[in-house]
Amino acid sequence: MQAFTSVSGAAAPLMLSNVDTDVIIRIERLTSGADLGHFAFEALRYLPDGTPDPECVLNEPRFSGAPILLAGRNFGCGSSREGAVTALMGMGVRCVIAPGFGDIFFANSFRNGLLPVVLAEEIVERLAAQSRDGNFTVDLQSQTVEAPSGEQVAFSVDKLQRDGLLEGLDDIGLTLKSSADIHAWQMADRVHRPWVWQTER
Amino acid sequence: MARTLFEKIWDAHVIRDLGDGWALLHIDRHLLHDLSGPPALDEIARRGLAVCNPGLVFATPDHAVSSRPGRDAKSFELGGYLYDMLKSRSQAAHIRFFDLGQEGQGIVHVMGPELGLVLPGVTLICGDSHTCTNGGLGALAFGVGQSESAHALATQTLRQKKPKLMRVRFEGAIGQGVTPKDLILHLIGSLGAAAGSGYAIEYAGSAIRAMPVEGRLTICNLSVELGAKYGLVAPDEKTFAFLEGRRFTPQGASFNEAVASWRELFSDDDARFDREEVIDVGSISPTVTWGTSPEQVIPIDGVVPDPAAASDPEERKTRQAALDYMGLEAGRPIAGTKIDWVFIGSCTNSRITDLREAAALARGHHVARGVTAWVVPGSETVKRQAEAEGLDHIFRSAGFEWREPGCSLCVAANGESVPSGARAVSTSNRNFVGRQGSGARTHLASPAMAAAAAIMGELTDVRRI
């Protein structure tokens, strides 16, 4: 997994509530082997004829390839498709700042090197108001967002997830170190709840 | 110490405490489908790892298979490719694969409960957000992405953070024409689509106790539309009766032993929840969505809300965008809105009880001119049962298409979609932009409401039929 320490650059403001993972990436783009970054937010970014919609904030030249996305409430709600994270990263996004996230999207982000930052809605709005004023920096080590105005905003990420992202840790490798514990738990469970294990029918 | 239902199941599965509320949890059941299964199996193969406990993993194709009558695995070409991958990789890993045309094939969250693979007190995952459906049997069931699915395949565990706990009590007796789908849509409309974010939700109260297991599965199914990864209902006599005799349910003395332990699975009287809500179900009408988020609901006798009424500018913008997409006008009654398509199916509402509910309305009527109406049973078993009861005949006589089991128009990943601009009444779970097809407009509703809309050619109050 790609590690994340800090990122600096433009922050695109997509201040809509409940942007779901179907809107982030349509299901058939996942199954057809398409360039996910190109098709991210396609219903928002492109007109029916496939040309970029000049009205869409994500198509403003200053936000092309922006590594930070400022989003509305409940970003990434809906489907568990991990391709939603891949699609954002395909656009160049490494960090999404929002008042809240869909729980599965939030978990998937950490598994792929995308940092989701939760900040109070009024703070996200304040940051969005500065999105055309210059670059932002998000630093996971110090857990701060620096706005173009110089304002520093603190955020917090669980230590387990922070360490995983900072070091690009492999969860499966870590868990496999507990194989003996897992095996012992299963042996005891086979006695305690035998019916769970009776699946040969 | 008093504990909630959720905590009892969670605690029983902790292999290691990882600190700060995180735990290494044992996963008792893992379901794989054709979209998220193959990449997860590929990932562990790429790392040279084996499936830890293949006997606890079960696979079936549902998302990308055609639902066309007479279909085979290749009727939708891309789906055929995913089907081949799921089948070959499952078989190579000694994972049981329920093939097309076999009992067991179907939408994962329909086939799991019906086979007795989902049991009270188990932990269950699937690379699918609607895995919360299975909490209706008292399981701790949740959706994951493919990375977590790969982790669970390789280790039979997941690293999870214990969520906050919410209890929603549905109290009272539900009115005529009102179904579990209406209750949960009403709840999402009342609390908002993000209310459950970070929570596990236990549904309780007299209306839940009186509700058949299938209805509880529908309620739990839409937990993720409320923002919650988990929804669950304490198992009771209805649950045990539902499970007894199913293929993978423990048999004989083992069943009795299991039931004895399942009887302990309830929230203690003084257990603490982080949030509690009480809903008077007597006040709930048949409910439909008007917008592009499941929180955008109104009773069928309501009017389309005016975005200008929202105080928050982000909310106004979001609602206006939804109205524009849906082609609706604020202030107009929602009933009477002309429709083009009806879809009865999905992991929300494709069980035998749902099909009976829809067939009861369809009997003796005919689908309105210009409306395309599909019935897609949730599983091979549901299909056979419905055909044994003659429901397929009722639907066909009424002008509905009777199709093969799968996800079909709920997710539109199988070559089937609602045309752009067309208005659909759907018993599924997501009215998102483009969900049922690029530009398709979705109104979520109960099976009865969907059948009524098909017959009338417009959104209709089922209580008037």
Side-chain angles (χ1 to χ4, degrees):
Chain A
M1 186 193 73
Q2 216 176 334
F4 184 105
T5 46
S6 74
V7 67
S8 292
L14 184 67
M15 301 305 290
L16 293 171
S17 309
N18 301 320
V19 171
D20 58 76
T21 53
D22 278 81
V23 163
I24 298 174
I25 192 75
R26 288 179 55 75
I27 196 96
E28 68 257 40
R29 303 303 181 193
L30 294 178
T31 50
S32 62
D35 168 5
L36 298 189
H38 176 75
F39 287 111
F41 299 115
E42 68 178 288
L44 300 175
R45 285 164 73 201
Y46 303 107
L47 295 167
D49 67 359
T51 57
D53 181 352
E55 299 288 306
C56 176
V57 66
L58 298 172
N59 290 331
E60 282 184 38
R62 76 178 86 218
F63 297 129
S64 169
I68 301 164
L69 186 69
L70 296 162
R73 289 187 289 270
N74 205 21
F75 184 81
C77 58
S79 156
S80 62
R81 63 192 66 172
E82 203 156 313
V85 177
T86 325
L88 288 172
M89 294 183 77
M91 284 179 78
V93 175
R94 292 301 312 280
C95 171
V96 183
I97 302 173
F101 292 90
D103 287 346
I104 304 174
F105 174 86
F106 190 76
N108 288 342
S109 297
F110 286 100
R111 304 272 172 168
N112 290 276
L114 179 81
L115 173 65
V117 170
V118 179
L119 289 175
E121 191 165 359
E122 58 272 22
I123 298 176
V124 182
E125 279 167 7
R126 202 161 70 223
L127 296 177
Q130 299 178 50
S131 58
R132 290 173 182 83
D133 299 346
N135 284 343
F136 290 66
T137 296
V138 179
D139 188 301
L140 180 57
Q141 198 86 52
S142 61
Q143 298 183 92
T144 53
V145 177
E146 188 181 336
S149 63
E151 177 188 1
Q152 300 258 347
V153 181
F155 63 89
S156 124
V157 176
D158 280 3
K159 184 176 183 318
L160 188 130
Q161 289 177 306
R162 189 169 71 237
D163 291 351
L165 214 42
L166 283 170
E167 295 169 41
L169 292 179
D170 165 28
D171 278 354
I172 295 181
L174 284 177
T175 298
L176 286 172
K177 290 182 188 164
S178 299
S179 289
D181 289 347
I182 296 168
H183 184 68
W185 189 95
Q186 291 192 337
M187 292 307 282
D189 194 56
R190 282 173 191 272
V191 176
H192 185 56
R193 296 185 308 161
W195 62 86
V196 171
W197 299 87
Q198 292 158 4
T199 59
E200 293 300 316
R201 293 206 186 93
Chain B
M1 200 181 107
R3 289 187 300 167
T4 63
L5 165 64
F6 184 92
E7 288 168 312
K8 288 178 183 178
I9 306 175
W10 177 278
D11 292 350
H13 289 83
V14 173
I15 297 173
R16 274 189 60 190
D17 184 343
L18 303 174
D20 299 331
W22 286 79
L24 184 66
L25 277 192
H26 190 263
I27 302 302
D28 300 335
R29 294 283 184 269
H30 191 167
L31 305 178
L32 302 179
H33 62 64
D34 45 356
L35 276 194
S36 62
L41 286 163
D42 279 351
E43 185 172 335
I44 67 162
R46 201 163 50 237
R47 290 160 168 260
L49 297 169
V51 175
C52 183
N53 293 99
L56 302 182
V57 188
F58 304 87
T60 193
D62 59 3
H63 278 64
V65 292
S66 170
S67 71
R68 202 178 69 205
R71 62 109 187 265
D72 63 25
K74 315 285 178 196
S75 297
F76 174 54
E77 193 183 338
L78 177 62
Y81 169 70
L82 296 168
Y83 164 92
D84 283 340
M85 292 214 295
L86 181 67
K87 184 173 182 175
S88 61
R89 283 156 178 72
S90 296
Q91 288 176 343
H94 307 290
I95 291 167
R96 192 184 299 256
F97 177 79
F98 298 99
D99 209 342
L100 296 181
Q102 287 182 355
E103 295 231 26
Q105 187 271 328
I107 306 174
V108 278
H109 315 309
V110 176
M111 74 76 147
E114 103 194 341
L115 287 178
L117 288 172
V118 184
L119 299 170
V122 301
T123 49
L124 179 148
I125 64 160
C126 177
D128 191 294
S129 60
H130 289 108
T131 308
C132 50
T133 309
N134 300 291
L137 286 166
L140 196 158
F142 57 104
V144 297
Q146 74 192 40
S147 297
E148 288 193 310
S149 179
H151 185 286
L153 285 170
T155 67
Q156 207 56 44
T157 68
L158 276 181
R159 297 161 160 257
Q160 290 294 301
K161 185 179 189 181
K162 190 169 150 190
K164 291 180 285 183
L165 302 171
M166 187 191 309
R167 176 162 60 188
V168 176
R169 286 189 288 139
F170 286 108
E171 299 288 0
I174 61 176
Q176 181 247 333
V178 179
T179 70
K181 180 69 163 284
D182 301 299
L183 267 51
I184 188 68
L185 284 175
H186 172 87
L187 180 71
I188 299 166
S190 307
L191 304 187
S197 184
Y199 285 91
I201 303 178
E202 179 180 341
Y203 302 97
S206 57
I208 294 289
R209 296 271 69 93
M211 191 180 288
V213 165
E214 290 88 347
R216 298 173 184 180
L217 294 167
T218 298
I219 297 261
C220 287
N221 174 269
L222 278 139
S223 296
V224 69
E225 268 56 67
L226 191 55
K229 202 159 86 163
Y230 316 81
L232 72 172
V233 171
D236 59 11
E237 297 308 319
K238 286 192 173 71
T239 317
F240 312 144
F242 174 91
L243 286 170
E244 189 166 13
R246 292 183 185 266
R247 182 166 163 198
F248 291 93
T249 300
Q251 316 281 326
S254 187
F255 181 72
N256 296 334
E257 190 192 342
V259 168
S261 76
W262 296 340
R263 288 190 201 282
E264 305 298 314
L265 298 173
F266 57 87
S267 289
D268 297 328
D269 284 343
D270 43 356
R272 204 190 67 83
F273 289 85
D274 298 284
R275 181 172 176 183
E276 295 232 41
E277 294 289 337
V278 180
I279 304 287
D280 167 20
V281 301
S283 66
I284 299 175
S285 300
T287 300
V288 294
T289 59
W290 60 265
T292 57
S293 162
E295 72 182 19
Q296 291 168 332
V297 306
I298 41 172
I300 186 64
D301 49 6
V303 298
V304 177
D306 187 350
S311 54
D312 172 60
E314 180 186 318
E315 187 53 32
R316 270 203 299 279
K317 202 161 72 172
T318 300
R319 286 193 197 174
Q320 186 59 53
L323 272 192
D324 294 345
Y325 181 82
M326 293 298 290
L328 291 173
E329 217 178 295
R332 294 278 294 268
I334 193 76
T337 306
K338 296 286 179 213
I339 59 134
D340 310 295
W341 277 70
V342 166
F343 171 60
I344 297 172
S346 88
C347 56
T348 313
N349 280 129
S350 65
R351 297 177 185 81
I352 189 70
T353 48
D354 300 312
L355 302 192
R356 287 178 191 144
E357 179 185 315
L361 276 149
R363 190 193 301 267
H365 292 280
H366 201 277
V367 171
R369 187 187 296 271
V371 173
T372 305
W374 287 14
V375 183
V376 181
S379 70
E380 184 65 27
T381 304
V382 169
K383 183 186 158 208
R384 291 183 191 183
Q385 171 82 28
E387 289 178 352
E389 295 180 18
L391 303 185
D392 61 321
H393 180 71
I394 294 172
F395 285 123
R396 282 206 197 93
S397 304
F400 289 81
E401 284 189 36
W402 176 249
R403 300 179 68 94
E404 298 288 338
C407 300
S408 185
L409 286 180
C410 172
V411 65
N414 64 341
E416 295 163 5
S417 58
V418 173
S420 185
R423 185 178 303 283
V425 178
S426 177
T427 67
S428 57
N429 39 57
R430 289 187 173 140
N431 52 342
F432 297 162
V433 167
R435 170 77 177 188
Q436 294 197 282
S438 189
R441 295 161 168 162
T442 302
H443 294 276
L444 301 177
S446 71
M449 286 282 284
I455 293 158
M456 302 304 288
E458 58 187 38
L459 283 165
T460 300
D461 190 335
V462 68
R463 295 170 297 190
R464 295 184 175 196
I465 293 189

